[in-house]
Amino acid sequence: MAQLLNDDILRYEILSYAPLLVSQVQFVGRSKAKITELHRAEPDSVRKMFSGDGIDEFQHEASHVFRLQRAMADPDSLMEITLLAALENQVDRIPPVMADQLSKIIEENPIGKGLDAFRASFSSICKGASVSYTPDAVERLGQEDLQNLAIDLLLALQILLASRLLCSSGRGKNLRGDLSRLTFALVSDDYFDLDCIKPLLKSAIANDNDALIWKEVYNAVTKSTPPPQPITSSLQQTPWLRNTSSFANSSEHRKYVDAVLKEELGPLYVGLRDFHETFFGGVAGLETASEAVFKKCMQGNNPLFRVEGGWRGWPEDADQDCVLGWFADLSEKLATFAEDYRSIPTHQRRPLAQPNKPIQGSTAERKLDIGFVDNPKARKDSKCHWSHILIPGELKSNPAADSLDKAWLDIGTYARKVLATQDTRRFILGFTICGSFMRIWEFDRLGGLASERFDISENGLRFVSTVLGFLWMNEEELGFDPTFITANGQRFIEIERNGSKERLIIDKVIQRTHCIAGRAATCWKAHCEGQPQIPLVIKDSWQYPERNEEGELLREVTSKGVINMARYYYHETVQIHGTDDDVRNNIRGRLDVTSATDYRPEQLAPPSSTTASTSQKGRSSSKAGQKRSSSQTGARLPPSKRPCSESPTKTDRSSALSNRVHRRIILRDYGKPIYEASSRVALLSALEGCIEGHESLHKAGFLHRDISINNLMINEDKKNPSWPSFLIDLDLAIKEERQTALGAIEKTGTRAFMAVGVLLGEQHSFMHDLESFFWVLFWICIHYNGPGKDIGPTTFDSWNYRDDDYLADLKKGQVLNERGFIKRAEKNFTTYYQPLIPWVNRLRRKVFPSGDRWEGLSPDLYSDMKTILREARKDLKVMAGR
């Protein structure tokens, strides 16, 4: 083995095989003999041949193999793969091949018969699936067959000499390395988008010329690059569920958003019989007007609607563009017919059809087929922002597209964008038309519901009622929060505090979480009327009723004199028409989801005899609007109060018994996120202040459990009476005595900053939060090149969506070895934060003594970390340019 590894070329080839062999062991099952043949050696002897840094660098590769060992019969072979993968970092980078040499490499190293085995595999799969042998057959294969076929192709390409000689599409050593990583992603990621590899499959099946096949290889490895992730407080929180809020402020690659959105929404309850009555029944005069307008549509020699023929002008083939034009024109006619029955003009909003025009306000190009907008002058060529879309729609020419993976997911994607850009929207109504079949949708903080589908060519009255309902609904019926009032050019809310009414003027939106289902926190900067010099922060969120109220916790924390923690001003459960605003009863009108056509009994949690109250005695609330009428009585009771402050598990969340309550807290401290600090010195000072605040919180008996970059604030405005630096967000906080009494293990926090021990399932302690402070500083130094200057996606963004064990190994690999840590920091820290490398390393030594995780609780860590931060501020290199 030693002699083989001394041969640089062979050594490189062996190392290139490492991730390939891992994936073969796990998914193909053909490589055990190859491993034994190629890499028969004692693991210890191989380990001694190389320095520890390489193993540290690639410890995350090892994590997968170590887990496989428990299921495989030959752990020694797997250990060899682990070491080889780890050692890959020791191979010198091959100089990149210039672009003008690519064609020469391809010409001199033909594919020849190198893909014949892959094509034979494809032929066998086609025969088994009774599909003809053509490139287009790729579109008709099942997911498993397609994945196996893709693996066979990628393995075959990696064996070809050209893949080793062609340059990498990114920072890799060569194209073979890119293919190896793509193979690993394909076999290990449940949400891998196979669409990115279909053009390559088709090209290889068609036996295209070599240049075209290698071009498709480059396209595939480029498109499969993991999505950039955010660095806002909407980073993924609590590892039980994935949530699209983790994609906020990123480039939002559609394939990744869609995959996570499916998980976020959970079961969609479709085919609810009473849906129309619940959401349209309260629209004044709608039933009478719809009947009269529909009657008018059937009058005359050339009526708009015939009982036998349906709607005039309906495209027989349901072509999308034709249907869009038909829908927009007919909606205008219906609105005109209805004007005699409505005192308020219906043309305050209108349908808009722009299937090929991206809607403004997206970080990714999202195109909306059709919708209703609040601009009466909007035309086909008008520029529209998502904030203008009142009701999104999705059209498909094929009736079979009325399914989760097609129209349903598309309309959910649009609803997410609308909710994200309209800061007071509580829920969204939308519609899908697949062929001539229409459904009406509602999306809220629990997920999505849909009506029974109806044929618009047969049920013309229902179609008229739906269109007029969309045109006539008031803002509250469309889902806007009526407790936000606009008058005299100002937006405000009103509260009753200490026996008197106060009006809070909204200054601006601070943050709006991008998601559908979830807590969906929104924050506004505000001030009391007549006191603009004293800033306040209003935070609305949708909480499980069985959770402890953040407002109550914050009030207690403030009363105990905790320093450097955002201070309490007021809190309430938002009320609409004197009733607590929640999803199940207020928004959904107690709709019984068990009547859904796709309802399955296992979606429900066991009923409980205990009810969790959402009202708070002795507190007044905002009152406005009218409660949604309910067509259901005898709806099931809410779930019992859970003995933890954690969000329910995935099973609970998807349960029809789940509910979310609209809660509001108001804080009297306002600042900006710590990564916007005006200088390195200011950043370090703010971080010290936040650690001091956490220590004060801990001494008062509370554990924060969500230290992240947007929960650490800085205030550099001398006129602002808020703390100079402080912690916010006690949403996941808990009283330490309660956690000790329960003894429950809970994983909470923002994934990128969670401590290794929390990821591994340890009971959360103040030590884990202190480790999170380290990860916050580490993250800022990598992602920012100056005050608030985000450099964009980095390889570390994958921390937002890796599984717990894998991420724990990644983090351990970062801090295990001092030389390796400094080397990686020099490579990854931005120019602006390079002067902090020795100080971040000193923090690493304290937080991870001897390069390992701490053992036992050490309150002295507070003072140790603060001392290092104070000393760092005196460093001339750190102070330079401040």
Side-chain angles (χ1 to χ4, degrees), residues 48-88:
K48 291 176 182 178
M49 294 167 58
F50 300 91
S51 68
D53 288 346
I55 294 174
D56 296 339
E57 287 277 358
F58 278 80
Q59 190 163 0
H60 61 281
E61 296 283 354
S63 66
H64 286 283
V65 180
F66 288 140
R67 289 198 293 276
L68 285 175
Q69 286 180 359
R70 293 192 291 268
M72 301 296 293
D74 189 0
D76 287 342
S77 295
L78 289 171
M79 178 63 79
E80 291 174 27
I81 301 174
T82 299
L83 294 173
L84 289 168
L87 298 171
E88 183 174 356

Side-chain angles (χ1 to χ4, degrees), residues 787-800:
K789 294 180 180 178
D790 181 3
I791 66 170
T794 74
T795 57
F796 290 87
D797 293 354
S798 67
W799 288 15
N800 292 313

Side-chain angles (χ1 to χ4, degrees), residues 21 31-41 74 77 80:
L21 294 176
S31 62
K32 194 171 180 180
K34 294 181 182 180
I35 301 170
T36 303
E37 178 182 348
L38 289 174
H39 309 306
R40 180 65 66 187
D74 189 0
S77 295
E80 291 174 27

Side-chain angles (χ1 to χ4, degrees), residues 495-498 535-537 549-562 564-573 616-620 664-670 723 726-730:
I495 62 174
E496 190 168 317
R497 177 174 174 268
N498 298 331
L536 300 173
V537 173
E549 283 205 51
E550 181 184 1
E552 294 286 357
L553 204 62
L554 185 61
R555 179 160 58 180
E556 185 176 352
V557 166
T558 302
S559 68
K560 290 189 173 183
V562 172
N564 295 353
M565 179 76 217
R567 289 164 288 190
Y568 174 87
Y569 187 83
Y570 175 82
H571 80 290
E572 67 178 5
T573 295
Q616 293 297 318
K617 218 169 188 180
R619 291 183 292 123
S620 58
R664 177 172 294 160
I665 63 172
I666 301 174
L667 315 172
R668 54 188 177 97
D669 285 284
Y670 168 77
W723 297 110
F726 56 97
L727 297 170
I728 62 170
D729 196 356
L730 293 181

Side-chain angles (χ1 to χ4, degrees), residues 192-449:
F192 187 91
D193 184 7
L194 287 166
D195 286 344
C196 73
I197 209 168
K198 285 181 179 178
L200 171 58
L201 288 169
K202 292 178 180 179
S203 181
I205 292 166
N207 203 7
D208 287 337
N209 64 66
D210 289 8
L212 184 55
I213 291 177
W214 288 115
K215 177 184 176 182
E216 293 298 346
V217 170
Y218 275 109
N219 287 337
V221 298
T222 302
K223 289 179 181 177
S224 66
T225 302
Q229 299 296 317
I231 28 101
T232 71
S233 64
S234 57
L235 282 165
Q236 183 175 333
Q237 292 184 332
T238 60
W240 313 119
L241 301 169
R242 299 210 302 175
N243 183 288
T244 58
S245 64
S246 65
F247 290 92
N249 300 326
S250 76
S251 62
E252 294 208 353
H253 293 260
R254 177 165 187 167
K255 60 187 176 182
Y256 298 104
V257 174
D258 288 354
V260 180
L261 183 58
K262 284 184 186 180
E263 184 174 342
E264 175 186 319
L265 289 173
L268 296 171
Y269 296 102
V270 176
L272 293 166
R273 293 187 297 272
D274 296 304
F275 183 99
H276 195 275
E277 181 181 351
T278 299
F279 291 98
F280 290 76
V283 181
L286 178 61
E287 183 177 358
T288 301
S290 298
E291 292 174 354
V293 169
F294 183 57
K295 184 177 181 181
K296 187 177 290 188
C297 289
M298 294 189 292
Q299 294 175 350
N301 295 327
N302 187 23
L304 283 174
F305 185 87
R306 295 178 185 272
V307 175
E308 299 300 327
W311 291 101
R312 187 179 75 201
W314 171 259
E316 289 300 324
D317 59 356
D319 175 77
Q320 182 179 359
D321 289 339
C322 295
V323 172
L324 287 170
W326 172 88
F327 184 92
D329 292 342
L330 181 58
S331 297
E332 294 283 2
K333 290 184 175 71
L334 297 179
T336 301
F337 289 166
E339 286 180 353
D340 294 338
Y341 305 93
R342 183 76 166 173
S343 58
I344 302 175
T346 60
H347 285 279
Q348 289 183 334
R349 64 184 71 134
R350 58 167 284 111
L352 181 73
Q354 293 183 333
N356 300 312
K357 199 178 188 70
I359 302 295
Q360 295 180 318
S362 302
T363 49
E365 288 192 352
R366 292 283 185 176
K367 298 174 182 178
L368 177 72
D369 286 344
I370 195 166
F372 288 84
V373 298
D374 63 357
N375 180 7
K377 298 180 180 180
R379 295 294 181 265
K380 191 171 184 178
D381 58 348
S382 301
K383 289 185 178 181
C384 281
H385 192 278
W386 283 105
S387 61
H388 300 147
I389 306 298
L390 297 177
I391 302 150
E394 172 67 10
L395 269 62
K396 302 286 187 185
S397 59
N398 188 351
D402 184 33
S403 64
L404 173 61
D405 291 327
K406 296 180 181 177
W408 300 3
L409 185 60
D410 286 342
I411 193 64
T413 301
Y414 302 149
R416 175 179 177 267
K417 295 306 301 182
V418 175
L419 283 169
T421 56
Q422 298 176 17
D423 62 321
T424 63
R425 202 76 183 260
R426 297 157 56 236
F427 64 90
I428 296 289
L429 293 175
F431 63 94
T432 54
I433 300 178
C434 300
S436 62
F437 293 100
M438 187 174 193
R439 283 191 197 275
I440 317 303
W441 290 84
E442 184 271 339
F443 293 94
D444 52 45
R445 301 314 184 179
L446 281 179
L449 308 174

Side-chain angles (χ1 to χ4, degrees), residues 66 107 389-390 528 639 683 716 747 837 840:
F66 288 140
E107 183 179 348
I389 306 298
L390 297 177
C528 283
L683 171 71
E716 298 184 88
K747 295 182 181 181
I837 290 176
V840 178

Side-chain angles (χ1 to χ4, degrees), residues 566-706:
R567 289 164 288 190
Y568 174 87
Y569 187 83
Y570 175 82
H571 80 290
E572 67 178 5
T573 295
V574 175
Q575 291 200 332
I576 294 178
H577 194 57
T579 303
D580 288 351
D581 189 22
D582 69 346
V583 174
R584 288 186 63 236
N585 302 298
N586 209 21
I587 290 179
R588 295 183 175 182
R590 304 183 77 185
L591 263 175
D592 182 8
V593 298
T594 64
S595 67
T597 55
D598 65 341
Y599 165 74
R600 299 187 306 276
E602 60 268 24
Q603 291 173 344
L604 282 175
S608 169
S609 60
T610 308
T611 303
S613 172
T614 60
S615 298
Q616 293 297 318
K617 218 169 188 180
R619 291 183 292 123
S620 58
S621 305
S622 303
K623 300 178 182 180
Q626 183 178 0
K627 182 184 177 184
R628 181 175 303 283
S629 61
S630 171
S631 61
Q632 297 292 330
T633 57
R636 295 175 183 266
L637 292 172
S640 62
K641 203 167 191 176
R642 252 179 290 273
C644 67
S645 64
E646 182 82 344
S647 298
T649 63
K650 184 179 294 186
T651 302
D652 294 328
R653 188 199 66 85
S654 64
S655 163
L657 291 178
S658 294
N659 195 13
R660 285 190 181 272
V661 181
H662 188 181
R663 289 175 176 166
R664 177 172 294 160
I665 63 172
I666 301 174
L667 315 172
R668 54 188 177 97
D669 285 284
Y670 168 77
K672 57 187 180 182
I674 195 171
Y675 56 82
E676 295 184 21
S678 62
S679 67
R680 292 183 291 264
V681 170
L683 171 71
L684 297 174
S685 178
L687 189 62
E688 180 189 351
C690 289
I691 291 175
E692 189 172 8
H694 189 278
E695 184 177 19
S696 178
L697 186 69
H698 169 55
K699 289 179 178 178
F702 300 90
L703 191 58
H704 191 283
R705 304 200 306 176
D706 189 18

